[in-house]
Amino acid sequence: MSSSQVAVLGAVAGLTIYLGLPIGRLRNPAPRLKAGLNAVAIGILLFLLWDVLAHAWEPIDTALADKHWGATLGNGLVLAAGLGIGLLGLVYYDRWMARRRTAQPKAGPGAAATGDPALKPHAASAAAGLATMIATGIGLHNFAEGLAIGNSAATGEMSLAVLLIIGFALHNATEGFGIVAPLAAAGERPSWVTLALLGLIGGGPTFVGTLVGQRFVNDTLSVAFLGLAAGSILYVVIELLAVARKAGLKELTTWCILLGLLAGFATDAVVTAAGA
């Protein structure tokens, strides 16, 4: 398989994220459906958090076992920095966006028809901002997945690369649902252009990572992006849990979180079987 063919398959693995995005265009979802969508997204993201941290820790754990103290300390510091930037960076970004929204003058009666709020950062709603943050965190995660695909191809393990592509494609199909869940839960109906942009943010990095991964293999780079992804995903989980608590549907929320977790493990089965 040529490098260009591997790159195309990496793009396909990322673009399956669009399969779950159209659910964000549901009209006026019922309160229980809103709570359920939010909770399933929490479950999927909790699985992703575990998956990301497990992959980020793997090279550090290997270095520890081999008593390579320099690599252990270096990658450990990179992971800690990535977590901090991904988590705290979004806290300060969210605060900055809130100040901008407060500073904007209130729009007139016809302003609602001027376009999709998710496309205008100064008027973006909390749900649209949260969806963008989820897409960004998933995009960082998918860049690391693309690195894994490219690295496997670069080292001649084509069967592993193909299995990774299949597994990541399944994963991304569920991740698209996680991105738009806050919008559907808030009753906001994003435009198709907005969904296209969110899909590009979340799925596009798989293709870029595949291209980079075919050029060189670097554990530290992978750890850095996985750390950023983990921090951003953790922030989003905290935000979605606050939304779930306000809904007050504890039993439904718990069942749907479990469903999201199981969906994450189910779609990861092919990747696990491949030894990734």
Side-chain angles (χ1 to χ4, degrees):
M1 188 180 298
S2 66
S3 297
S4 59
Q5 288 174 320
V6 173
V8 169
L9 289 176
V12 171
L15 293 179
T16 55
I17 202 166
Y18 284 105
L19 295 177
L21 291 176
I23 199 170
R25 299 213 11 115
L26 287 175
R27 292 182 181 274
N28 301 320
R32 290 181 66 85
L33 177 59
K34 293 179 183 180
L37 291 172
N38 186 73
V40 171
I42 292 172
I44 292 172
L45 291 172
L46 282 173
F47 169 79
L48 285 176
L49 179 62
W50 168 82
D51 188 48
V52 166
L53 288 175
H55 282 82
W57 183 253
E58 187 175 347
I60 300 172
D61 192 52
T62 301
L64 276 170
D66 295 338
K67 296 182 170 55
H68 293 161
W69 309 122
T72 299
L73 179 61
N75 285 335
L77 290 174
V78 168
L79 176 58
L83 277 168
I85 294 171
L87 179 59
L88 297 175
L90 286 180
V91 171
Y92 289 108
Y93 171 78
D94 188 43
R95 181 178 296 176
W96 175 70
M97 288 298 296
R99 285 199 299 266
R100 289 195 65 185
R101 286 194 294 268
T102 303
Q104 289 295 321
K106 291 186 177 180
T114 60
D116 193 309
L119 296 177
K120 301 179 181 179
H122 64 275
S125 68
L130 192 54
T132 302
M133 290 178 186
I134 294 174
T136 301
I138 287 175
L140 291 169
H141 174 225
N142 283 342
F143 181 84
E145 289 185 343
L147 288 178
I149 294 171
N151 288 347
S152 299
T155 55
E157 299 179 9
M158 294 308 303
S159 59
L160 174 58
V162 171
L163 286 173
L164 288 174
I165 289 167
I166 295 171
F168 293 149
L170 292 171
H171 239 160
N172 280 330
T174 60
E175 289 170 352
F177 171 78
I179 290 172
V180 295
L183 294 169
E188 296 189 21
R189 197 164 182 262
S191 69
W192 289 109
V193 174
T194 299
L195 293 182
L197 291 175
L198 289 173
L200 190 61
I201 293 170
T206 307
F207 171 66
V208 177
T210 301
L211 294 178
V212 173
Q214 289 189 84
R215 298 296 180 268
F216 63 92
V217 179
N218 188 290
D219 283 340
T220 302
L221 178 65
S222 179
V223 168
F225 275 91
L226 287 170
L228 285 169
S232 58
I233 290 170
L234 178 57
Y235 172 81
V236 171
V237 167
I238 293 170
E239 292 293 296
L240 292 181
L241 284 170
V243 174
R245 184 172 293 277
K246 288 180 182 178
L249 299 170
K250 190 172 183 179
E251 293 83 0
L252 175 66
T253 296
T254 304
W255 275 105
C256 288
I257 289 176
L258 177 62
L259 178 62
L261 275 170
L262 293 178
F265 277 105
T267 57
D268 194 48
V270 175
V271 180
T272 303

